[in-house]
Amino acid sequence: MTLTLLIEQILNGLQFGVMLFLMAAGLTLIFGVMGLINLAHGSLFMVGAFACAAVAAATGSFWLGLVASLAAAAAAGALVEILVIRRLYERDHLDQVLATFALILIFSEGTRWVFGSFPLYLDIPQLLSGAVYLPGGAQYPIYRLAVIGVGIAVAVGLYLLIGKTRLGMRIRAGESDREMIGALGIDIGTLYTLVFALGAALAGLAGAMVGALQSVQVGMGEPVLILAFVVIVIGGIGSIKGALVGSILVGLTETLGRFLLPHVFGLFMPNSEAATVGAALASMLIYIVMALILAFRPQGLFAANA
């Protein structure tokens, strides 16, 4: 194990973390403002990936595909909120879980009907197709660094939106006392639709960027959704800052765990056994971290509205 390889894995963990942040930020916004458990959030991740792949294939431009992913996911999110989610706000969480699980099936089968069962592939744009040199001489893809940069930019943008704008003030008020802002004449329905569309657009953006690193296929959003829920539980439900810190923590724990644990066990076990045990423990590591954090801070690392 060399320093260069360790730096590369840390960057991979950061890249994975900021992708999780794009998912978790929208998810925690939706739950914080609306009190809604949205299991279909991963489907919006998939919609963004397929929209980007389809438009990029038709036009030859990844950048147009990226714009299409934002538009398609936001439009799908707004449509779902108006037609389905709006009827669930006063229902209990079990009804919300059942309804949004049904939406997963509808999105998955609808996507399979439109695009087929075979995966699509996205090419990394020429502008970001090179690599940079890490200390020690190893190369690291520029595209992965760009994903990290986009995640940081989105985090800053959300901070400014939530903390410095009129819309952000209404979102924060909606988290605290939705009845009062309704009494003050603010259209709650429109606010909820905007928040849901914003969360959906962030998920679609994550799907589009990840689509260039792996295949775009039906069901690709569900594994990411599970980790996004872990992120918001660790960070604190309703907290954007918590979503950022939690996503980076989960990304680094997942990546470095899979990289370091086999080496650690290899110090006192045969290599084949060390690889098996290390991989098994690495898959549980983020849940162990979550349990330890919740044991000491049941509300997560940051309180809501942080």
Side-chain angles (χ1 to χ4, degrees):
M1 182 176 66
T2 64
L3 177 61
T4 301
L5 191 55
L6 180 60
I7 293 174
E8 182 178 351
Q9 294 304 315
I10 290 173
L11 289 174
N12 285 339
L14 287 174
Q15 180 258 307
F16 184 42
V18 298
M19 184 273 293
L20 286 176
F21 169 70
L22 293 176
M23 281 286 288
L27 200 59
T28 200
L29 261 182
I30 289 169
F31 188 87
V33 175
M34 305 175 184
L36 177 82
I37 298 176
N38 180 26
L39 295 186
H41 202 67
S43 297
L44 300 169
F45 175 92
M46 179 185 68
V47 166
F50 271 96
C52 184
V55 171
T59 64
S61 171
F62 174 83
W63 307 109
L64 288 177
L66 201 60
V67 173
S69 72
L70 287 166
L79 194 62
V80 164
E81 195 279 333
I82 292 170
L83 296 179
V84 179
I85 302 299
R86 192 167 286 185
R87 293 161 175 74
L88 299 174
Y89 295 134
E90 303 304 323
R91 309 289 287 270
D92 61 31
H93 288 321
L94 178 59
D95 290 340
Q96 296 172 0
V97 167
L98 291 173
T100 53
F101 181 76
L103 286 174
I104 294 176
L105 302 179
I106 292 169
F107 272 111
S108 294
E109 294 308 312
T111 304
R112 185 177 285 112
W113 179 68
V114 173
F115 294 100
S117 298
F118 294 101
L120 304 181
Y121 296 93
L122 264 171
D123 292 326
I124 293 174
Q126 187 65 32
L127 180 65
L128 303 175
S129 61
V132 296
Y133 285 94
L134 300 177
Q139 293 184 327
Y140 193 78
I142 292 176
Y143 183 78
R144 287 182 179 270
L145 292 176
V147 172
I148 296 173
V150 168
I152 293 172
V154 169
V156 172
L158 282 175
Y159 167 76
L160 295 175
L161 174 67
I162 301 299
K164 306 296 183 181
T165 67
R166 194 174 195 84
L167 175 60
M169 179 181 65
R170 293 179 177 181
I171 290 173
R172 296 197 311 276
E175 291 178 327
S176 302
D177 194 339
R178 67 191 71 179
E179 290 80 11
M180 180 59 71
I181 65 170
L184 293 174
I186 295 173
D187 188 342
I188 299 292
T190 300
L191 178 65
Y192 281 6
T193 302
L194 286 174
V195 170
F196 204 91
L198 174 61
L202 292 176
L205 176 62
M209 292 193 301
V210 170
L213 298 173
Q214 63 184 45
S215 60
V216 176
Q217 56 189 327
V218 175
M220 63 184 291
E222 277 65 63
V224 182
L225 178 67
I226 295 171
L227 291 177
F229 273 115
V230 172
V231 165
I232 64 173
V233 169
I234 288 175
I237 296 174
S239 170
I240 296 297
K241 181 167 65 177
L244 177 61
V245 174
S247 63
I248 298 300
L249 179 60
V250 168
L252 290 174
T253 300
E254 169 83 5
T255 304
L256 292 179
R258 293 186 182 279
F259 173 64
L260 292 175
L261 286 178
H263 290 85
V264 172
F265 285 110
L267 297 175
F268 53 87
M269 297 174 65
N271 288 337
S272 59
E273 294 181 13
T276 302
V277 174
L281 186 57
S283 65
M284 300 184 291
L285 197 56
I286 56 173
Y287 303 102
I288 295 172
V289 170
M290 179 179 70
L292 289 174
I293 290 174
L294 293 181
F296 293 97
R297 291 186 65 84
Q299 77 277 21
L301 293 175
F302 297 94
N305 302 324

